[in-house]
Amino acid sequence: FWVVSFALIFTISQIVLLLKPRIGLYFVIATLLFLLLSAYHSYNYRKLAISLAILPVSTIATHFLAQPTKFGGLLEFYSIVLLLAVVCGAIFHGSEPVLGKPLKWHYTYLLPLMSLVGAGLGTLGYFVMKHQYQFHGDPLKILIVSSLVFAIAEELLFRGLIQKLSTKLSNPVISIALVTSLYVLISISKLSYLPDIYAGVVSIALCLIYAKSQNILLTITLNVTSKISYILIFAFMGIH
């Protein structure tokens, strides 16, 4: 019930934020208050509630530290997410490896495989979102380096914190559904529904890989290569 309640509140806040940013900000604040109250009253959900609160906190901070460009806003948002995810991960997981279970040597072949899958997803992203590219004019080198920041931030938060903690409280299916819903909602676009479907496909793939391997290095590799491939294809096609 708690997960459903949060998902409903977060969905409403993100949709209103997309359509009416000023009004939506109040809904984001309400979402944050709900999570803080949940963390205070429920010991079982405390770590998960605090981890989920990273999203509204980052959204609110980005709003008040407004950047002149879309890319600047995204970089600011994900930088805050990365910082808070690292802090929460260090506090909640203690001495556990940051990247999850060590990758056994006979599984190292999965790293190049993740790169190939990521490149495939990036290519799919190009065809799906060919007309929704938002980074025209932004320096290519900065976009590529920023992709690494975006990917690490997403993996530490969505896989390293939210999926890991919610799986302990419920089951893998509910955890994957929660993470995918959140990922789609922060990526939601009013230009087309295709980017939302693409975000859902990528999130499910990443969640399944993490559920099987419990290693974030694999999902970071896939996430980074998908983002960089997406950007490089636009640059190669002369659209950048």
Side-chain angles (χ1 to χ4, degrees):
F1 175 77
W2 183 89
V3 172
V4 174
S5 299
F6 163 73
L8 180 61
I9 295 172
F10 189 79
T11 300
I12 294 172
S13 70
Q14 290 302 111
I15 293 174
V16 177
L17 187 67
L18 179 70
L19 301 176
K20 299 287 183 179
R22 290 187 178 181
I23 299 175
L25 186 63
Y26 291 103
F27 281 85
V28 174
I29 293 173
T31 303
L32 177 59
L33 291 175
F34 171 80
L35 290 170
L36 293 178
L37 287 172
S38 299
Y40 178 77
H41 288 290
S42 176
Y43 177 80
N44 291 334
Y45 287 95
R46 184 166 298 164
K47 291 181 180 180
L48 179 58
I50 293 173
S51 299
L52 290 168
I54 291 175
L55 290 172
V57 167
S58 301
T59 300
I60 294 167
T62 303
H63 175 82
F64 286 107
L65 300 172
Q67 294 294 320
T69 64
K70 174 73 173 179
F71 172 71
L74 277 175
L75 183 58
E76 188 173 75
F77 174 81
Y78 277 106
S79 297
I80 297 170
V81 169
L82 177 59
L83 175 62
L84 295 178
V86 168
V87 172
C88 287
I91 294 172
F92 296 158
H93 301 326
S95 59
E96 293 181 30
V98 175
L99 298 178
K101 292 182 179 179
L103 193 63
K104 296 180 180 179
W105 68 269
H106 54 279
Y107 285 139
T108 53
Y109 74 91
L110 291 174
L111 289 173
L113 179 60
M114 291 300 102
S115 298
L116 289 174
V117 174
L121 287 173
T123 304
L124 175 63
Y126 166 76
F127 288 106
V128 170
M129 301 180 288
K130 183 160 40 176
H131 304 295
Q132 283 89 39
Y133 189 72
Q134 303 179 41
F135 307 123
H136 298 287
D138 293 307
L140 182 60
K141 290 181 180 179
I142 293 179
L143 286 176
I144 291 175
V145 173
S146 298
S147 296
L148 183 61
V149 176
F150 296 171
I152 294 175
E154 288 175 354
E155 295 314 306
L156 288 180
L157 175 62
F158 290 114
R159 252 62 62 183
L161 286 173
I162 298 175
Q163 184 174 349
K164 185 173 185 177
L165 293 171
S166 58
T167 299
K168 291 179 179 178
L169 293 170
S170 55
N171 61 69
V173 175
I174 292 177
S175 177
I176 291 173
L178 173 63
V179 171
T180 299
S181 299
L182 296 177
Y183 188 69
V184 170
L185 285 168
I186 67 167
S187 309
I188 194 169
S189 169
K190 58 183 178 182
L191 299 176
S192 170
Y193 62 87
L194 291 177
D196 306 331
I197 296 175
Y198 174 75
V201 170
V202 172
S203 178
I204 291 172
L206 290 167
C207 286
L208 290 174
I209 291 168
Y210 180 72
K212 181 67 175 177
S213 68
Q214 296 295 304
N215 188 281
I216 296 180
L217 183 58
L218 294 177
T219 57
I220 288 177
T221 302
L222 189 152
N223 201 331
V224 168
T225 51
S226 68
K227 286 176 167 55
I228 292 178
S229 300
Y230 172 73
I231 292 169
L232 289 178
I233 292 173
F234 275 97
F236 179 76
M237 298 299 291
I239 300 176
H240 177 76

